[in-house]
Amino acid sequence: MQIRDGVAVITGGGSGIGRALSLELSRRGASVVVTDVDADAAARVAEECGSGASAQGLDVRDAEAFTKVIASTAEVKGRVDFLFNNAGMGVAGEMFDLSPAHWERIISVNIGGTVNGIAAAYPLMIRQRSGHIVNTASLAGLGPAPLFAPYAATKHAVVGLSRSLRLEAERYGVRVSVLCPGAIETPILNQDNPADLPAVRTKPDVRRFLTRLSGRPYPVEKMARETLDAVERNIGVIVLPASARLSWRLGRWAPSLVEKVLRRELARERAAGQGEGAGVG
């Protein structure tokens, strides 16, 4: 399936990976519908994309609203060829410091939002006998991620969902891929947990921790190009960049080695956090 002349809906398109994918989809000739919980951000990205792009506000936790976005896109464009379930959020901190509210929020966005997108688009794609669903997970969905347990748990779920659905969907001509990026240069590296959730005392410095683990964050524009190359080749599990693929393979072939590195960096991050007053009181 070629991206040129396709119709693509993308969630979380107002910034970061979603914005980069929206722009690259447009450069490749797709008609893009940019959605985001921040409708103004989605509109700005759609304007960057140029003619053929449009924007809608969408909270992916709202299944009815998601269904309306897909239905209205199909009505206007005639079909939906690609759904990029990209919207997501992170929660970081030691497990003992996280509340049920942290878990409820991240599960509703990262898992619930992905399920809502599939429920909205997959039946349509079955009727079309074509389509490609791309779910954004993470390298943290392929291995352990201490200090990011809620994020890792939800991204493992997205990986399992995607790989299972990929086999089911083949019968109907529908493709499914899961995107598992490592550290990518986006604003999320500098963000805190959502401000309306209880504060935690043990949150790691995301940028520092991930940079120590995997090196300098990868440029998001390069990641978007390589992602769409992989989508056009119908790769099932897309792991980017090359350093992330190496980590993934090491985790499969030598898990004890990866765990040794994680233990070392976990200890360093805990020590740094205590030095900054983030330890447990």
Side-chain angles (χ1 to χ4, degrees), residues 1-3 21 25 28 82 84 132-134 175 177 179 224-235 238:
M1 180 177 293
Q2 296 299 306
I3 288 170
L21 287 172
L25 283 162
R28 297 190 184 205
F82 298 93
F84 287 81
H132 199 144
I133 297 170
V134 183
R175 297 175 172 183
S177 299
L179 172 61
R225 291 194 296 270
E226 292 172 20
T227 295
L228 296 189
D229 289 344
V231 168
E232 288 192 319
R233 298 197 309 273
N234 191 27
I235 303 300
I238 304 168

Side-chain angles (χ1 to χ4, degrees), residues 13-202:
S15 65
I17 290 174
R19 173 180 174 273
L21 287 172
S22 296
L23 293 171
E24 185 62 23
L25 283 162
S26 292
R27 277 192 286 267
R28 297 190 184 205
S31 176
V32 182
V33 179
V34 183
T35 76
D36 198 280
V37 68
D38 183 341
D40 291 337
R44 288 192 294 271
V45 173
E47 186 175 356
E48 287 185 84
C49 290
S51 61
S54 61
Q56 295 193 45
L58 174 64
D59 184 337
V60 295
R61 296 174 293 176
D62 187 335
E64 183 178 355
F66 213 141
T67 298
K68 288 180 179 178
V69 167
I70 296 297
S72 65
T73 300
E75 182 178 357
V76 172
K77 305 288 187 178
R79 58 191 301 107
V80 175
D81 298 299
F82 298 93
L83 169 63
F84 287 81
N85 268 323
N86 174 74
M89 62 169 290
V91 166
E94 298 263 9
M95 271 289 297
F96 61 73
D97 212 12
L98 299 172
S99 69
H102 290 100
W103 284 94
E104 290 166 5
R105 177 70 59 80
I106 197 168
I107 289 171
S108 68
V109 174
N110 291 2
I111 301 177
T114 301
V115 170
N116 288 340
I118 292 169
Y122 184 45
L124 170 66
M125 291 179 174
I126 289 176
R127 292 194 297 271
Q128 294 174 170
R129 308 299 292 189
S130 69
H132 199 144
I133 297 170
V134 183
N135 299 320
T136 298
S138 168
L139 185 61
L142 298 171
L147 303 181
F148 299 88
Y151 185 73
T154 58
K155 295 305 186 180
H156 272 78
V158 172
V159 171
L161 167 61
S162 303
R163 295 186 68 188
S164 301
L165 181 59
R166 179 177 173 86
L167 296 175
E168 286 187 32
E170 288 177 351
R171 177 179 182 180
Y172 308 107
V174 180
R175 297 175 172 183
V176 180
S177 299
V178 61
L179 172 61
C180 299
I184 306 299
E185 188 56 67
T186 66
I188 198 172
L189 294 179
N190 304 315
Q191 288 177 356
D192 204 341
N193 291 342
D196 63 333
L197 293 177
V200 299
R201 297 164 292 174
T202 58

